[in-house]
Amino acid sequence: EQRWMASGVRLARDAAAADERDDSPQFLADVVAGLSSPQKTLSPKYLYDARGSALFEEICRTPEYYPTRTETALLREIAADLSALIPKGAALIEFGSGASDKTAIVLDAAPQISTYVPIEISHDALDQAVARLAQRYPSLDFVPIAGDFTGELRLPESVRAKSAVGFFPGSTIGNLDPAEMQQFLLRTRVLLGEDSVLLVGADMLKDVPTLLAAYDDAAGVTAGFNRNLLERINRELGADFDIQAFRHEARWNAGLQRMEMHLVSLHDQHVTLGGMRFSFSQGESLHTENSHKFSTDSFDALAARSGWQIVQQWISPAPQFAMFALVP
Ligand code: AVI
């Protein structure tokens, strides 16, 4: 068991080394394209380097950021219902597993799960999560996959032979654009197969002050998380962003039903990156994240156009957060 684990962890590290070599040309290309568009934009997936992942964990502990606490309490409440949906010997496949904090609730409630497959872009987070869970669940098989869960994924044969239970908590789905959400759900349907269940956590529409506070906490942790993206670009791509010359802003976009994070330029300035110069005028923003909020109807419509249907749903008391169980 121990040896198996060690090789699982090594596998993730090897993939990490390969990814680090390959990541930066894509990162550079994406940043250059994002800074060249009329509304300057960066993909939220780049928020999660080691520092960004640590800051996100810290956001989850702020009093204003209700989603994590609310979803955790909801999962505990519905654990027996979830267990009833999970077949014996199933593989639990988690998309964007991060610190795998909520996984233990499902694993405790459903000891019939034989295999855990965390898929996570941050190699550090993946390694740490697997090491921690392996101690707590010594008879569980681990198949960690270091990678981007929005990309093309393949599961090893040993996993494909089992009933698949997909787990996508945290309302991470809300960080995708609508077309990406649909693509993710369509791909996941193929990946998990006909007999699968997909458990998706989704943050629900609610009053705007609650939302604004959650994305702009008083201690400034979310602001630091947002600004860290510029620090990462400076560090990894040799840019010269003046971090202090940008302020964090959380906005509610009512038309598109989403929270947005922006970095707003405090004055006219320019930034150099990869031999190019990008100008920011005072008040111009760099859009760094969307976090879509759902209603039962909007989630149902999304599932329906992505080849899934809701078989069961659980919604917490306010601030409302939902868990949806989908089947093909
Ligand atoms: C990871 N994701 C679901 C978080 C969210 O709420 O959209 C990321 C985050 N951004 C700012 N605060 C938290």
Side-chain angles (χ1 to χ4, degrees), residues 47-48 56 59-60 65 67 169-175 203 214-217 222 225-226 248 259 261 289-293:
L47 291 164
Y48 301 92
F56 175 63
I59 288 174
C60 295
Y65 192 74
S171 203
T172 306
I173 194 163
N175 295 132
D203 193 16
Y215 289 82
D216 193 8
D217 62 282
T222 308
F225 172 66
N226 200 4
H248 166 71
M259 282 302 300
M261 290 206 310
E289 186 192 62
N290 293 318
S291 193
H292 291 86
K293 306 302 166 187

Side-chain angles (χ1 to χ4, degrees), residues 114-258:
S114 67
T115 309
Y116 177 49
V117 185
I119 303 170
E120 171 55 43
I121 198 168
S122 161
H123 315 107
D124 293 338
L126 184 65
D127 283 359
Q128 284 166 23
V130 169
R132 193 172 51 81
L133 286 176
Q135 286 208 325
R136 182 156 167 186
Y137 303 96
S139 59
L140 193 64
D141 285 340
F142 289 85
V143 183
I145 298 179
D148 177 357
F149 66 81
T150 60
E152 203 78 62
L153 291 168
R154 268 180 69 80
L155 295 172
E157 185 50 45
S158 62
V159 176
R160 274 186 285 152
K162 299 177 189 299
S163 304
V165 178
F167 187 42
F168 194 33
S171 203
T172 306
I173 194 163
N175 295 132
L176 306 178
D177 291 335
E180 292 172 330
M181 291 183 205
Q182 186 179 12
Q183 187 190 48
F184 168 78
L185 290 172
L186 286 166
R187 276 186 176 166
T188 303
R189 185 175 190 248
V190 174
L191 188 80
L192 300 183
E194 283 305 313
D195 296 324
S196 60
V197 183
L198 177 60
L199 304 170
V200 186
D203 193 16
M204 303 299 267
L205 288 166
K206 55 185 53 66
D207 65 289
V208 175
T210 299
L211 289 171
L212 289 174
Y215 289 82
D216 193 8
D217 62 282
V221 184
T222 308
F225 172 66
N226 200 4
R227 280 212 197 86
N228 175 61
L229 185 50
L230 302 185
E231 284 172 41
R232 179 179 185 184
I233 293 170
N234 281 354
R235 197 172 52 243
E236 292 183 25
L237 303 178
D240 61 356
F241 273 104
D242 175 4
I243 316 292
Q244 297 312 318
F246 288 85
R247 111 186 126 70
H248 166 71
E249 192 175 297
R251 293 182 194 165
W252 171 243
N253 184 328
L256 297 174
Q257 306 204 318
R258 68 192 194 195

Side-chain angles (χ1 to χ4, degrees), residues 265-293:
S265 178
L266 293 178
H267 50 75
D268 291 353
Q269 57 181 316
H270 60 258
V271 174
T272 51
L273 162 70
M276 282 163 277
R277 220 169 116 107
F278 300 94
S279 305
F280 283 84
S281 50
Q282 183 178 357
E284 183 178 357
S285 86
L286 173 58
H287 183 184
T288 52
E289 186 192 62
N290 293 318
S291 193
H292 291 86
K293 306 302 166 187

